[in-house]
Amino acid sequence: MNILEQTKQDSKNKLVVVNHPREHIFSNEKIGISNYKKSMKKAIHAISNTLKDRKTPFTGKSIAVLREKFNKIQLEHFKETHSLEYVIEELKELYLDDCVHFHHPKYIAHLNCPILTPTLVAETFISSLNSSMDTWDQSTGGTFIELKLIEWTLDILGFPTEGDGIFTSGGTQSNMMGLLLARDFYIKNNYDIDPKMEGLPADASKFRVFCSDVSHFSLKKNLSLLGLGQNAVIPITVDADFKMDVKKLELAIEEQKQLGNIPIAIVGTAGTTDFGSIDPLPIISAIAKQNKLWFHVDAAYGGGLLISEKHKSKLRGIELADSATIDYHKTFYQPVSSSGFFMRDKSFIDYIKYHADYLNSKEQEEEGIPNMVKKSIQTTRRFDALKLWFTLRMIGVEGLSSYLEKAIESAQFTAQYLSERKDFEIIHQPEISAVVFRYTPYSGLDATYCNLNSHIRKAMFNEGKAIITSTKVKEEVFLKFTLLNPLTTTKDIEEVIDLIVFHGQQYSLKN
Ligand SMILES: Cc1ncc(COP(=O)(O)O)c(C=O)c1O
């Protein structure tokens, strides 16, 4: 008898055979393999159709319309079963038809890159074989693939060979690891306390971390999660290019010391989320050294520059950091999630290392078994490294860097194009691929620009032909392009700007 067939009593107390859906278990059984092949083919077919059918990055459907579709699905319905064809057809209506397409050349809103097909092949291996990267006995060769890519990233960062790293779920988690090491490094060196065992000293409420006032919000969020509170962040004003003002940094460190607070770290951003601006890393490193502070670099956005011969000098100074964040799912064209955290000295791992007898015992470590869980704040962890592996093996470093270089050219074109127009105000020269500007058609009516530009962003999203975003600079609303798609042409950019003008004029007519 098929072991997955069981009997149960039906409502009339008759014994009936229940057939478990055996073909859906990923296995080496003929029925499992055949179902796997057929199903994957159908999924790829449906996705390909979605690509072919969609002409715009979004359909512009409202929240109300999309929510209504879900109102029809009752929790009771999860007791029913359906064919794959049915579920894909239903998904088409619920999600696929209106999904926002990051790969569309006119999607230039957030830091979402188009992704590379080799990474999707890798995703199939990752999710099908489902290795977990916490221990050697769950990942085997996968661990060595990840270790090789950690070695590669340490090399492009210019970190010493004694450095180490780990793939993480994203820049937020990588930044958290940087701040955690900074906190515990300070405690270990200044108190008779082992923070891993005893928690934080009473002084911890006075710890201060310095970063520019346009750095990523995850720093604040992480400091609150790490028990130091969001007030631990001392935001340093930026110069006209949105880079940390280092004079102000030095003053702020002194001021905090005089207030009785305790500086522990500086975070430099290599590619701010809004402007792509890169803080003066070599000077910040010198200030950190002089004040005996941890130096973390958040290169979540700018990390991709490291592999570009043309642009890597912009990140000079990152090699001096104690730790760094790199988001492969931004400027290395990887699918979410794929990110890394790197430290210049592998001994820092001791701050987070934990031995679980069932997973990575001390004995295993003594035997030299490479269990990655000791370096991670996650336990079960995806084999995200495989995507970067496929990318480098198939496209190579030069091919990969050419994509970001093209996006940077598009940003430079946009900045030039807008600066030549009288109806736009551009407030910086793009250092990477983000461009912040606003539509300013009427001189002397500055007060209306916030409403006008807010309206433009919303109207464009509701229309769906092109997606851009907005941000605030000194409380004023600005529009923002984040150009990452090498397939975005100058014609696309001109057409998006025409749409901005169109929606701006429509707003002006009505108001
Ligand atoms: C500079 C910077 N750091 C960190 C992050 C957070 O990265 P993630 O979204 O991968 O957690 C972002 C996200 O946009 C970012 O721009």
Side-chain angles (χ1 to χ4, degrees):
M1 184 187 171
N2 182 334
I3 51 155
L4 286 180
E5 280 171 9
Q6 291 172 350
T7 49
K8 78 167 188 187
Q9 286 182 332
D10 70 5
S11 52
K12 291 177 193 139
N13 283 341
K14 228 173 99 188
L15 272 186
V16 291
V17 173
V18 178
N19 273 315
H20 290 254
R22 188 179 193 112
E23 75 276 15
H24 292 311
I25 300 175
F26 183 77
S27 77
N28 60 358
E29 288 187 354
K30 220 167 155 186
I31 183 174
I33 294 173
S34 156
N35 188 39
Y36 174 68
K37 282 195 199 160
K38 273 192 291 181
S39 304
M40 296 304 275
K41 232 175 165 171
K42 282 177 188 157
I44 290 169
H45 184 71
I47 296 166
S48 306
N49 282 344
T50 300
L51 293 183
K52 273 194 278 168
D53 294 347
R54 180 74 77 72
K55 303 289 176 264
T56 58
F58 183 45
T59 54
K61 292 259 173 72
S62 70
I63 298 176
V65 169
L66 294 179
R67 184 180 282 135
E68 182 53 32
K69 295 182 183 192
F70 286 85
N71 288 343
K72 286 187 242 157
I73 296 183
Q74 309 296 316
L75 298 185
E76 274 295 298
H77 293 165
F78 291 122
K79 290 182 182 157
E80 298 164 2
T81 62
H82 300 283
S83 67
L84 178 60
E85 289 78 2
Y86 177 96
V87 175
I88 290 178
E89 206 45 44
E90 180 189 60
L91 188 73
K92 208 166 131 34
E93 200 203 333
L94 296 176
Y95 169 68
L96 288 178
D97 283 350
D98 303 294
C99 159
V100 174
H101 282 197
F102 293 163
H103 60 270
H104 193 284
K106 286 185 181 144
Y107 177 89
I108 48 178
H110 300 287
L111 270 164
N112 311 109
C113 54
I115 52 175
L116 308 170
T117 303
T119 65
L120 296 176
V121 178
E123 279 286 2
T124 311
F125 285 97
I126 295 166
S127 49
S128 302
L129 297 168
N130 201 26
S131 294
S132 179
M133 303 307 288
D134 36 341
T135 56
W136 167 255
D137 69 359
Q138 298 174 82
S139 61
T140 54
T143 285
F144 286 127
I145 286 180
E146 180 165 342
L147 284 170
K148 200 41 96 184
L149 293 172
I150 288 168
E151 191 186 331
W152 177 76
T153 312
L154 289 168
D155 184 56
I156 60 169
L157 277 164
F159 274 19
T161 45
E162 304 81 62
D164 208 341
I166 188 81
F167 273 66
T168 68
S169 61
T172 302
Q173 187 188 126
S174 298
N175 280 343
M176 175 180 237
M177 292 185 77
L179 295 169
L180 188 151
L181 295 195
R183 181 195 71 179
D184 291 1
F185 179 81
Y186 189 85
I187 296 173
K188 283 208 145 196
N189 285 296
N190 292 279
Y191 299 86
D192 199 15
I193 285 180
D194 176 0
K196 196 157 79 174
M197 303 310 292
E198 297 160 80
L200 304 179
D203 274 355
S205 63
K206 296 184 198 155
F207 288 1
R208 294 293 178 264
V209 173
F210 303 81
C211 55
S212 94
D213 63 3
V214 290
S215 57
H216 194 255
F217 73 86
S218 59
L219 300 176
K220 275 193 180 161
K221 200 164 141 180
N222 282 327
L223 282 167
S224 95
L225 291 169
L226 289 168
L228 303 185
Q230 293 194 13
N231 291 342
V233 169
I234 303 296
I236 308 296
T237 46
V238 287
D239 63 17
D241 296 321
F242 299 96
K243 294 164 182 279
M244 192 193 288
D245 181 331
V246 285
K247 284 266 171 306
K248 299 254 169 65
L249 169 66
E250 284 183 302
L251 287 174
I253 293 171
E254 268 325 299
E255 192 177 82
Q256 289 302 317
K257 283 181 185 168
Q258 275 170 22
L259 286 170
N261 289 327
I262 305 170
I264 63 161
I266 309 175
V267 179
T269 307
T272 56
T273 315
D274 276 344
F275 310 98
S277 48
I278 299 167
D279 288 337
L281 305 177
I283 308 176
I284 297 176
S285 158
I287 295 171
K289 207 163 249 150
Q290 203 182 336
N291 289 278
K292 297 195 174 63
L293 306 179
W294 186 276
F295 178 33
H296 175 74
V297 175
D298 177 0
Y301 178 11
L305 299 176
L306 290 168
I307 57 168
S308 162
E309 283 306 319
K310 218 162 153 185
H311 297 290
K312 69 178 179 196
S313 62
K314 291 179 182 169
L315 257 54
R316 203 169 55 79
I318 198 169
E319 72 283 359
L320 304 167
D322 294 299
S323 56
T325 290
I326 301 278
D327 260 5
Y328 306 108
H329 60 212
K330 291 188 171 60
T331 43
F332 291 76
Y333 296 90
Q334 303 295 298
V336 176
S337 56
S338 183
S339 177
F341 171 71
F342 300 89
M343 56 201 121
R344 70 181 301 104
D345 184 340
K346 54 165 67 77
S347 69
F348 299 142
I349 291 165
D350 285 345
Y351 300 174
I352 45 173
K353 188 159 85 178
Y354 187 90
H355 287 293
D357 288 335
Y358 82 99
L359 211 55
N360 63 327
S361 64
K362 271 198 175 121
E363 293 75 23
Q364 283 190 24
E365 180 154 303
E366 280 153 20
E367 279 175 55
I369 294 173
N371 289 320
M372 303 288 271
V373 67
K374 70 175 179 190
K375 295 195 264 182
S376 178
I377 56 177
Q378 292 173 246
T379 305
T380 304
R381 196 163 53 86
R382 292 189 93 230
F383 184 16
D384 285 320
L386 190 63
K387 296 177 276 194
L388 185 60
W389 180 265
F390 266 72
T391 304
L392 293 177
R393 300 304 279 162
M394 292 180 66
I395 301 174
V397 172
E398 209 180 306
L400 181 57
S401 68
S402 71
Y403 298 141
L404 182 60
E405 286 174 1
K406 177 68 181 52
I408 294 173
E409 278 171 26
S410 296
Q412 287 164 352
F413 167 81
T414 308
Q416 182 64 29
Y417 184 76
L418 290 174
S419 64
E420 284 166 10
R421 294 182 61 139
K422 288 206 169 56
D423 51 351
F424 282 91
E425 176 193 1
I426 170 156
I427 53 164
H428 71 135
Q429 282 308 307
E431 205 164 10
I432 311 180
S433 64
V435 191
V436 179
F437 61 94
R438 60 182 177 168
Y439 182 50
T440 51
Y442 339 97
S443 55
L445 287 173
D446 294 20
T448 62
Y449 290 157
C450 278
N451 290 341
L452 173 65
N453 284 278
S454 289
H455 167 83
I456 291 170
R457 188 205 64 81
K458 269 192 236 155
M460 286 179 72
F461 186 75
N462 292 337
E463 181 184 49
K465 286 185 186 164
I467 313 270
I468 65 169
T469 191
S470 64
T471 189
K472 279 192 182 166
V473 182
K474 295 195 181 104
E475 299 306 312
E476 299 279 317
V477 176
F478 281 77
L479 300 174
K480 174 173 133 177
F481 287 179
T482 309
L483 292 143
L484 287 173
N485 194 335
L487 301 180
T488 300
T489 60
T490 52
K491 184 166 174 283
D492 288 321
I493 294 166
E494 286 171 6
E495 286 173 2
V496 176
I497 292 168
D498 287 348
L499 282 173
I500 293 174
V501 172
F502 171 78
H503 287 291
Q505 287 175 349
Q506 292 286 306
Y507 179 82
S508 303
L509 284 174
K510 284 192 206 136
N511 292 276

